[in-house]
Each structure stands twice: as structure tokens, then as C-alpha cells.
Amino acid sequence: MKVKKMLSAVLAGLMVFGLAACGNKESSDSKKEGGDGKDEYDIVYLSPSTESEYWQYAEIGMRNAIADIEEKEGIKINYSVSGPASESETDAYIKAYESVIASSPDAIITATLAPDGTVPKTQEAKDAGIYVNFVSMGLEGGDSNDYGDYYGVHYYCDNTTIGETAAQSMLDGLEANNIEPKGKIGMRMSVVVETLEERMDGFKAYMAEHAPDIECLDTLYNENDVNNAQSNVETQISTYGDELIGLYGGNNVSGDGIALGLKNAGSGKKILGIGVDSDSLEIEALSAGNLYAIIVQTPYDQGYKAVENAVEYLKTGENPESEKHINCPSQAVTKENMDTEESKALLDPTILKK
């Protein structure tokens, strides 16, 4: 009897262990992983601003990628958008990130103007088995991989190069308008973000090397408010007078402020304006001569590639990119080249919408 009781106890223990093991396997299998062979995926675009034309251009690239993938590979992709209305609502962005993670999608495509708060959320997404790609604004600059384990790929335009390209465009414009490269240039940006500061630093360093008689003034920040941006421009025009030969805006709202300020002052030929990104106001100003050049990023390409990469990872479990940061170079668009087919698509990616 004792032997039977011992055997029964051992069998019971084995059954409990087996059930526990099954339970642990089921728990581990519930975590999403790439390469699961599914034919349907959920992808969320977490936008830093649903109202911004720039981030809408990135979305067009995402939607076109989804359409192409579904047609080519027969995969069903359930796509949705989340995020605050304005870039300045960084707290709302973090809260939206939390909600997106809770909805448990297969992948998240996003960009952030609040990297410090985004890092732990991206780690949380990774721990939940959610694949994350960044477009334009990531957790770190293009020369850093401090948080590379938390995400797949960061598709972006190198910000230092944007600044350098803007500076060269300014020098080209000064020469074309017979303005001596000697005087002051007003600098403006939306908000203080480390990666965005690279655009300002790149501009200043290039000017210091190639035009030492030009003084770049301290950067003025407008909190992504076009009225503030315009007011800053008009104040500098009245403060510095003929000493002011140029204005550089490191994002589209700053460029809008420059365009409006120069238009109101009638100074488009005496003071050269350089913007970054493109929206309807900047394009109109470029055509009218109130901006000399726009340094146009590639949000469409970045959005397209980010979705393409995410789906490939979800299908195979392998990231096809060998680098964490993939530069999708910006280009300078002026009144002279703005009507080429390439420039038209850069300036207004809505024409590419399927």
C-alpha cells in the first residue's frame, strides 16, 4: 500500500508539473514575436501631431506602403492613427503611447518630440512584444545607439546635414541677390529638443567656417505657434534693421513665421528667408519670393520604409536593416527648381496618395 501511495504521489506531482509547464508555455507564447507567419497584422501610427502637414505626409507614405504590401503579398493590415493635435502636447503624446501599448498592436510607427518620456514607453512596448519603428524624430541622434535595443529602425534626415544645407542655400541666395555675406542672421526653432538643435548647430558651424563675417544670433523659440514665430521675426527686423541679412527657421512653423514676417515688412529681397520642411504656406512663400529656399525632408519615404520594414520583421522575425539609423537625405528646393516633378512630390506628397 505504501508503494502504491508513493506512486500516486509521484504521478500527481508529475501531472501538476506538466500542467504548470503547459501554463508557462502558453504564457510565453502569448507574447508577440516576429516571424509568426500570420496573414493579418495590426499597425498603429502614433503621430506627434495629427494636425501637422509634415506628419500627415509621413502617413501618406505609410498608407501607400500598406496598399502595396496588401496587393503584392495578400497580407491584411489593420491600420489606425493616434496622437495629440499639436506637437507641443508632449504629455498627451505620452498618454497616447500608453493607450496604444495597451491596445496590443503588432507594430507601432512613431516620432517623438519628448524622447526622455518616450524611452521607457518604447521599452515597455518592446517587453510586450510590440515592434517599434521611428520616423524623423527618434529616441536619439543618428550617431547614438544608446536605446537601440528598444526599437527596430529610425528612418530620418540627418539634422546636422539639414543645417549645413540650409547654410549653403543662404550663401547661394546672398550671392544671387548681390548681398554681401556680412551681417546678422536670425535663428528660430519651435521647441528645445536635442536632435532639433543639431539643425541649428550645423547651420552655425557651417557659417562660421564658410562666412566668418556673418553672425548667427541666439535661437528664438516659438513653441510651434505661428503667431509667436511671426512676432519674433518682426521684432528682429525692427531691432537690427539693415544689419539683418537673413533668417533661418529650423522647422515648418518657424519657416511660416519668417515668410509672414518678411511679407508684411516687404523685405523678401533684402533679407533672405530659409525654411525647413514644407507646408502650403511655405510653398506659397517660395513661389512669391518671401522664402529663398526650403530644405525639404522626406517624411513620405520615411513613413513608407518604416511600414515596409515593420511588416518584413513581423513576417520573418528578422530586421532586414543592418543599421539602426537610416538617413533619407533632405534636399534644397528653390523657386527655380520647385516645378520639377521630383520637387513637386517632395513639397506636396499628397500628389502621391493612392
Side-chain angles (χ1 to χ4, degrees), residues 8 57 78 90 92 127 152 334 354:
S8 297
Y57 294 161
N78 303 309
T90 52
D127 292 343
T334 65
K354 295 186 177 181

Side-chain angles (χ1 to χ4, degrees), residues 131 133 151-155 301-302 304-310 312-313 316 318-328:
Y131 188 71
N133 277 341
Y151 62 92
V153 187
H154 172 208
Y155 294 97
D301 289 344
Q302 295 168 37
Y304 194 103
K305 291 176 182 294
V307 166
E308 197 173 43
N309 173 271
E312 186 65 20
Y313 173 82
T316 66
E318 299 289 337
N319 184 348
E321 299 283 13
S322 59
E323 301 291 333
K324 281 292 178 181
H325 304 281
I326 305 297
N327 186 21
C328 304

Side-chain angles (χ1 to χ4, degrees), residues 235-246:
T235 297
Q236 283 194 326
I237 290 174
S238 62
T239 299
Y240 294 103
D242 292 340
E243 290 184 278
L244 192 67
I245 61 173

Side-chain angles (χ1 to χ4, degrees), residues 69-303:
I69 291 168
E70 287 185 330
E71 180 181 359
K72 180 181 177 181
E73 303 186 28
I75 294 173
K76 172 65 177 174
I77 299 175
N78 303 309
Y79 173 83
S80 59
V81 181
S82 183
S86 170
E87 287 184 351
S88 62
E89 299 176 76
T90 52
D91 289 343
Y93 168 84
I94 298 299
K95 289 180 180 178
Y97 205 158
E98 293 172 352
S99 297
V100 170
I101 293 171
S103 71
S104 193
D106 295 291
I108 298 171
I109 312 298
T110 189
T112 180
L113 291 167
D116 289 345
T118 305
V119 167
K121 296 305 169 189
T122 306
Q123 182 180 21
E124 184 180 334
K126 176 187 179 292
D127 292 343
I130 301 170
Y131 188 71
V132 181
N133 277 341
F134 284 90
V135 295
S136 190
M137 305 298 297
L139 300 181
E140 55 211 349
D143 58 351
S144 172
N145 285 327
D146 290 345
Y147 306 108
D149 290 341
Y150 298 169
Y151 62 92
V153 187
H154 172 208
Y155 294 97
Y156 77 122
C157 287
D158 182 76
N159 283 301
T160 299
T161 303
I162 288 173
E164 294 170 346
T165 303
Q168 182 58 57
S169 295
M170 178 71 78
L171 294 177
D172 292 342
L174 292 173
E175 182 178 1
N177 286 276
N178 297 313
I179 300 173
E180 185 180 3
K182 183 177 182 179
K184 301 181 187 299
I185 292 178
M187 311 280 285
R188 57 251 313 116
M189 176 51 82
S190 54
V191 293
V192 180
V193 176
E194 182 179 355
T195 51
L196 290 179
E197 289 302 298
E198 294 170 2
R199 299 181 190 178
M200 315 311 289
D201 294 340
F203 185 97
K204 289 185 285 188
Y206 193 93
M207 279 298 180
E209 179 180 354
H210 297 276
D213 290 332
I214 289 178
E215 176 189 355
C216 294
L217 300 171
D218 291 340
T219 301
L220 299 179
Y221 298 91
N222 51 57
E223 297 302 320
N224 233 44
D225 184 305
V226 70
N227 294 318
N228 289 342
Q230 181 180 348
S231 177
N232 289 341
V233 168
E234 292 172 347
T235 297
Q236 283 194 326
I237 290 174
S238 62
T239 299
Y240 294 103
D242 292 340
E243 290 184 278
L244 192 67
I245 61 173
L247 294 163
Y248 168 50
N251 77 325
N252 63 313
V253 172
S254 300
D256 291 344
I258 291 171
L260 292 171
L262 290 178
K263 180 180 180 181
N264 286 349
S267 303
K269 296 296 182 182
K270 299 178 182 178
I271 303 172
L272 290 190
I274 306 291
V276 174
D277 302 331
S278 65
D279 58 26
S280 54
L281 200 159
E282 282 186 307
I283 294 169
E284 180 183 345
L286 193 66
S287 180
N290 293 314
L291 286 177
Y292 177 76
I294 305 173
I295 313 307
V296 185
Q297 296 192 77
T298 51
Y300 175 92
D301 289 344
Q302 295 168 37

